[in-house]
Amino acid sequence: MIYFRKNDEVIEKYQVDFDKEEIEKLKKEIINNCSFIQHEEYESDYSPRFTDEIIRNFTYTPTGKEKEYFEETRDIYRYSYDEYKPPYLVKLINQLLNGNSKAIDEILNYDISTKSSIDDRINLANQEFSKIAPEDITKKKEKLKELEDLLKAKELNKNQQSIDSYYNQLIGLIKFDLVDSLSISELGRIESFLEIKLSGVEISNSKGKPFVKSLKKAD
């Protein structure tokens, strides 16, 4: 994969290489250990439809109840499953594995510090509960139900790990080799001389995190 990077007044061209199997393995570890797990359980006469969701522990059992429609009568089932919501980094890894060089910028600039923890959400819900007027029983019940769900979610996610170490592993698996470089002024002269405008090449800005791998210019 070729990656262009603007560094001050120079455009650098890198050859980017990585072991797909190793990154796929790392992606699975991130999904297993860093995803936020949300448990869903409800009754319906229609089975859930999943697209890109990561679903585990899926079960369904008949309730013995039915729902009548004008044209048919349908059995009602109780559905139960855990939905794994991986960090955004997993989406970027998929893009990288699919050969999208744009993902490199986002990976290098990925912010691992912005995630709101379940404890933060519980504390916020507690603060909101304390501000509800004592006579507003309905809102208090709704907020108590929210707190109950958050506490259950905390227990479900008690083994969730920080993404920090996995992110560093990912960066370490991507190898950047400097192939060549070209000054922006020289590029401008080429465009002017040929009376053309070069386009269609994605060029990153150098404001991202520094590469972990050592960089070397090709002979």
Side-chain angles (χ1 to χ4, degrees):
M1 179 188 297
I2 297 298
Y3 171 65
F4 294 94
R5 184 181 193 230
K6 181 178 177 293
N7 189 2
D8 293 330
E9 297 303 313
V10 174
I11 296 175
E12 299 170 336
K13 179 180 178 180
Y14 293 92
Q15 174 65 43
V16 181
D17 295 297
F18 50 84
D19 187 320
K20 285 191 173 183
E21 290 186 3
E22 286 296 319
I23 290 186
E24 278 283 4
K25 180 181 176 182
L26 180 65
K27 184 184 77 172
K28 290 179 181 177
E29 290 182 19
I30 293 173
I31 292 173
N32 290 335
N33 300 324
C34 304
S35 292
F36 181 80
I37 307 172
Q38 182 170 314
H39 182 71
E40 300 287 351
E41 192 167 337
Y42 57 88
E43 294 182 0
S44 176
D45 56 316
Y46 283 93
S47 60
R49 294 183 178 180
F50 306 117
T51 51
D52 297 329
E53 295 92 339
I54 300 173
I55 303 299
R56 296 181 180 173
N57 305 319
F58 179 84
T59 62
Y60 65 97
T61 54
T63 63
K65 296 183 285 187
E66 297 177 335
K67 187 167 185 179
E68 295 185 5
Y69 294 92
F70 177 77
E71 69 281 3
E72 65 176 337
T73 299
R74 298 178 58 85
D75 294 326
I76 296 176
Y77 291 84
R78 171 165 288 277
Y79 295 95
S80 176
Y81 56 88
D82 294 329
E83 181 179 352
Y84 279 60
K85 298 183 177 182
Y88 182 62
L89 186 61
V90 168
K91 181 177 180 179
L92 296 178
I93 291 174
N94 285 331
Q95 292 176 4
L96 180 69
L97 292 171
N98 289 330
N100 186 351
S101 62
K102 292 181 182 179
I104 295 175
D105 286 337
E106 288 199 69
I107 289 173
L108 293 174
N109 288 283
Y110 192 79
D111 188 353
I112 59 178
S113 65
T114 58
K115 180 183 171 185
S116 175
S117 72
I118 190 70
D119 287 328
D120 293 335
R121 294 166 63 187
I122 291 172
N123 290 334
L124 178 61
N126 268 319
Q127 292 173 16
E128 291 172 343
F129 177 80
S130 65
K131 294 177 182 178
I132 299 174
E135 63 272 13
D136 198 338
I137 304 300
T138 300
K139 282 189 177 180
K140 278 189 171 292
K141 286 182 178 179
E142 291 174 353
K143 189 56 64 174
L144 280 173
K145 178 63 168 63
E146 180 184 340
L147 275 166
E148 182 183 3
D149 291 341
L150 286 171
L151 289 169
K152 288 180 179 178
K154 180 178 179 179
E155 176 63 22
L156 192 62
N157 288 273
K158 63 183 179 181
N159 295 321
Q160 186 187 44
Q161 298 178 18
S162 169
I163 199 172
D164 299 39
S165 63
Y166 296 101
Y167 174 74
N168 291 331
Q169 288 180 58
L170 174 63
I171 296 299
L173 289 172
I174 304 174
K175 180 182 178 183
F176 295 87
D177 284 329
L178 182 60
V179 176
D180 208 343
S181 61
L182 180 70
S183 69
I184 293 176
S185 61
E186 188 177 354
L187 178 62
R189 285 189 65 246
I190 293 172
E191 291 181 327
S192 176
F193 180 79
L194 297 176
E195 297 183 351
I196 61 172
K197 186 68 177 176
L198 298 175
S199 61
V201 178
E202 294 290 337
I203 300 177
S204 166
N205 205 313
S206 61
K207 64 183 180 180
K209 296 184 177 72
F211 301 131
V212 174
K213 290 285 187 180
S214 60
L215 305 178
K216 63 179 180 179
K217 187 171 181 178
D219 296 330

